[in-house]
Amino acid sequence: MHKFINMKKYKYLISRRITQIAILFLFFAGNAFGWKILRGNLSSAKAFDAVPLSDPFAVLQLTSTGTVLAQDAILGSIIILVFYAVIGGRIFCGWVCPVNMVTDAANKLRKILGMDKQQRAMEIARGVRYWVIGLSLALSAVLGVAAFEWISPIGALHRGIIYGMGFGWAFVAVVFLFDLFAVKNGFCGHVCPLGGFYALAGRFGFLRVGYNKDKCTLCMKCTDICPEKQVLHMVGKQSGAVLSGECINCGRCVEVCNDDAVNFRNIYSN
Amino acid sequence: MQGRGRPARMMTETTIGRDDPAPANRTNMMPERRDFLIKTVKSLGLATAGGLEWSGFIEEGKSAPLVLRPPGAVPEKQFIASCIKCGMCVEACPYDALILAKPEDDKPIGTPYFTARTSPCRMCKDIPCVPPCPSGALDKTLVSEKGENGALVLNINLAKMGLAVIDRETCIAYSGIQCDACYRACPLIDKAITVEYTRIERTGKHAMLAPAVHSNACTGCGVCEKACVTQKASIFILPRELAMGKSSIRYVKGWESRDEERLKDVKEDVKTKTPRSGQSPVDYLNQEEF
């Protein structure tokens, strides 16, 4: 019985890990064994040898260099953008991006080492990511390459896993150490422009976390576990849904709530 | 520009405000305004610092010129502006010749390249690496020609990945040894590499079978570089823009029947203009000094 309850407490976490690893594995198998389910990587891919998929932020950066990209990349980016915009939140960040596993690990280690209790060594604003979006596009235009893709630890990680890592692990290690020693949820929650991009894109999607004040006992476990605490500003104040696009839809708040006060819901239906 | 103009104006207001003896303004308005101002300046400063560091890193990676791209690659500058780093060309390569650049490879990171000495391009007839490219960094039309029914047909011989260059000082064929490894290996034998038969002047009686590369046919596949028997290859591939010179359009080969046709498309004025060229040759002959 005890085991069973525990499993239920981690159902989204486990599903997320399965999704993240499965997607990476399908890409890996596409390269290594010639499977045709997913080929390419998270920057651009082809599903079932038919459907093009592309990272819309990468396409935006390449386009801002003044390049007119081929049809597949454009079409693929629209498919991905519409998909994430309809679902809502930063579902990419919580369920697809492999860096999520790295930063979650850093976060876990912070907790084990008790670093959260100490004063933060450094504090940066959540809005930095939107500046980095602007900077990415400006630098892409000036330098003639997709600027964020050039330094992206996300790219380094998924490219590395699929095609060979090399020194790319250093990019990932920087993120891990930054999140561990400098700022809690530092990369995914403050800096990453791709996260910022999906926060803007997922603002109006349907699948959001809903909060019910009547059931809430103010234990605040949800805000403790949340990597984007600011989105749960309504907890203890009023019922309602998380409307900020910055929520990564990871569902940790839903899992930790013992009072059934936090749940996923379709905000467009009653 | 708008965003930068505003804080600057507010800065003067703040400075004036500080000297202003009226205390009401200071207690109500200033802390918030000053906070906002400092935050904006801080953000701009950090963005500039980050941006400079960031662009330095990119510029360094961009400046690596010795990179051989897959067939059908658009010119390098355009290539790095359109490659999305998905690796689908790498996946398609049946010989695993293509590699996505890792940070330590000293190539634009995440872009595909091959190393001729270790694994050259095998010039597959169906060019499997080009069609999967989603972004247009590999352009099918650059390796296609019009077929019989007018449709484009892939032809790997049109690829221009690089150009083979021979170091005559180290090539053993140029020292008189009968080596034709590169010539025999070349997929476009007798077109891209030919063997020139000459006499070795030093001995006066031996033959030299010297390989020569022809840039109009060479695709830069690098099979010759792989085949070369010297310790470090004496025939090697360089990107064409590094390996080739360029003569001005003025130089028309009169002995080649069609070479003059190139001039038809030229819009610029190709006539030579020097202080002397305005005069006619006759004037020159009539000048005193002559």
Side-chain angles (χ1 to χ4, degrees):
Chain A
M1 193 63 195
H2 185 70
K3 264 248 149 71
F4 174 73
I5 293 168
N6 265 348
M7 283 299 283
K8 214 174 170 192
K9 281 279 160 210
Y10 294 105
K11 62 178 177 182
Y12 291 123
L13 184 62
I14 291 166
S15 328
R16 276 170 52 223
R17 293 291 177 258
I18 291 172
T19 320
Q20 287 160 341
I21 292 168
I23 289 172
L24 278 180
F25 179 75
L26 286 176
F27 277 126
F28 177 81
N31 183 35
F33 321 129
W35 290 15
K36 289 183 176 172
I37 303 170
L38 274 178
R39 309 197 112 183
N41 60 25
L42 290 176
S43 299
S44 191
K46 199 138 206 183
F48 303 103
D49 244 354
V51 187
L53 306 167
S54 292
D55 174 351
F57 186 54
V59 167
L60 197 61
Q61 290 170 71
L62 289 172
T63 305
S64 64
T65 67
T67 312
V68 179
L69 292 182
Q71 200 183 325
D72 262 16
I74 307 276
L75 185 63
S77 68
I78 294 171
I79 292 173
I80 289 291
L81 188 61
V82 168
F83 177 78
Y84 287 130
V86 166
I87 292 186
R90 284 158 55 198
I91 203 134
F92 169 83
C93 303
W95 292 73
V96 179
C97 184
V99 172
N100 175 260
M101 290 187 269
V102 176
T103 55
D104 274 3
N107 211 5
K108 185 83 187 165
L109 196 54
R110 273 183 83 94
K111 206 163 249 174
I112 293 169
L113 297 175
M115 297 181 71
D116 287 344
K117 289 185 189 115
Q118 295 179 359
Q119 189 76 29
R120 282 186 200 175
M122 213 170 116
E123 202 164 341
I124 49 177
R126 292 270 179 187
V128 166
R129 50 188 151 207
Y130 303 111
W131 282 83
V132 183
I133 294 180
L135 207 51
S136 301
L137 297 179
L139 288 183
S140 301
V142 173
L143 301 177
V145 298
F148 179 64
E149 301 310 302
W150 201 284
I151 58 162
S152 164
I154 311 164
L157 184 54
H158 66 69
R159 264 202 314 273
I161 290 168
I162 300 162
Y163 298 108
M165 187 63 93
F167 200 64
W169 64 267
F171 286 67
V172 184
V174 165
V175 169
F176 181 80
L177 296 173
F178 179 63
D179 271 31
L180 179 59
F181 294 119
V183 182
K184 191 183 178 194
N185 303 120
F187 182 73
C188 301
H190 297 75
V191 181
C192 178
L194 186 59
F197 178 84
Y198 282 126
L200 298 174
R203 171 69 183 77
F204 298 104
F206 74 89
L207 183 68
R208 309 314 309 267
V209 167
Y211 167 69
N212 184 346
K213 186 172 177 274
D214 300 335
K215 289 186 178 172
C216 178
T217 56
L218 291 180
C219 70
M220 301 315 250
K221 277 185 182 163
C222 52
T223 52
D224 273 352
I225 200 100
C226 181
E228 298 277 346
K229 293 183 198 326
Q230 73 285 5
V231 308
L232 287 172
H233 56 82
M234 77 291 285
V235 170
K237 293 175 189 143
Q238 67 199 54
S239 295
V242 169
L243 291 178
S244 166
E246 287 170 3
C247 166
I248 66 169
N249 275 15
C250 65
R252 292 295 280 145
C253 52
V254 180
E255 290 169 336
V256 295
C257 182
N258 288 324
D259 311 309
D260 197 31
V262 188
N263 273 302
F264 276 120
R265 69 155 90 134
N266 176 356
I267 55 165
Y268 295 111
S269 79
N270 307 314
Chain B
M1 267 340 261
Q2 224 174 13
R4 283 173 66 178
R6 254 173 68 203
R9 199 165 61 239
M10 290 184 68
M11 174 125 58
T12 34
E13 277 174 24
T14 319
T15 328
I16 293 163
R18 206 187 293 156
D19 298 334
D20 195 349
N25 259 352
R26 284 176 72 173
T27 45
N28 293 338
M29 287 292 294
M30 284 307 125
E32 270 176 35
R33 276 196 162 190
R34 182 182 292 176
D35 217 40
F36 172 76
L37 171 73
I38 288 170
K39 266 189 183 162
T40 313
V41 171
K42 230 168 132 182
S43 309
L44 278 173
L46 284 175
T48 313
L52 286 175
E53 182 74 32
W54 190 348
S55 35
F57 182 73
I58 290 178
E59 283 297 336
E60 197 201 340
K62 259 170 70 181
S63 61
L66 290 172
V67 55
L68 300 177
R69 298 299 186 190
V74 296
E76 182 64 14
K77 206 177 161 197
Q78 210 181 325
F79 186 86
I80 53 171
S82 45
C83 174
I84 199 166
K85 310 179 179 189
C86 66
M88 282 197 269
C89 52
V90 173
E91 247 175 64
C93 179
Y95 297 96
D96 291 339
L98 290 178
I99 291 170
L100 274 195
K102 301 176 189 74
E104 69 270 32
D105 291 347
D106 199 22
K107 310 267 188 302
I109 192 169
T111 58
Y113 74 98
F114 69 95
T115 310
R117 187 64 159 167
T118 27
S119 190
C121 171
R122 287 5 178 252
M123 288 178 64
C124 311
K125 289 262 179 294
D126 55 346
I127 326 182
C129 52
V130 175
C133 179
S135 67
L138 303 179
D139 185 353
K140 233 193 290 190
T141 60
L142 294 178
V143 280
S144 304
E145 59 188 353
K146 274 213 172 122
E148 283 166 24
N149 51 4
L152 284 179
V153 183
L154 289 171
N155 181 357
I156 186 65
N157 294 352
L158 297 172
K160 291 279 176 263
M161 295 171 272
L163 180 63
V165 174
I166 297 172
D167 180 356
R168 294 187 178 197
E169 307 300 323
T170 54
C171 171
I172 55 171
Y174 277 89
S175 308
I177 295 169
Q178 276 198 25
C179 173
D180 56 3
C182 57
Y183 168 73
R184 296 283 162 201
C186 180
L188 294 172
I189 185 168
D190 281 328
K191 292 192 190 91
I193 301 182
T194 55
V195 168
E196 316 286 318
Y197 303 98
T198 50
R199 203 166 67 127
I200 299 179
E201 297 297 336
R202 181 174 51 81
T203 64
K205 53 189 166 190
H206 294 101
M208 184 200 285
L209 280 66
V213 178
H214 303 279
S215 63
N216 56 349
C218 177
T219 63
C221 69
V223 172
C224 54
E225 183 178 334
K226 170 96 168 125
C228 183
V229 300
T230 56
Q231 193 173 4
K232 183 165 173 264
S234 297
I235 183 168
F236 44 84
I237 310 297
L238 291 178
R240 288 179 84 87
E241 53 271 35
L242 288 184
M244 291 178 76
K246 191 178 179 227
S247 61
S248 151
I249 193 84
R250 298 186 177 87
Y251 300 101
V252 176
K253 291 171 186 159
W255 61 93
E256 277 182 17
S257 57
R258 293 171 120 199
D259 203 41
E260 202 159 346
E261 286 177 16
R262 288 185 301 143
L263 289 176
K264 278 183 189 166
D265 304 325
V266 176
K267 291 198 178 78
E268 56 181 316
D269 185 12
V270 292
K271 284 199 179 122
T272 308
K273 276 196 190 110
T274 64
R276 192 188 269 175
S277 64
Q279 306 164 1
S280 86
V282 181
D283 292 341
Y284 173 64
L285 288 173
N286 287 336
Q287 266 166 9
E288 254 176 86
E289 60 191 78
F290 193 72

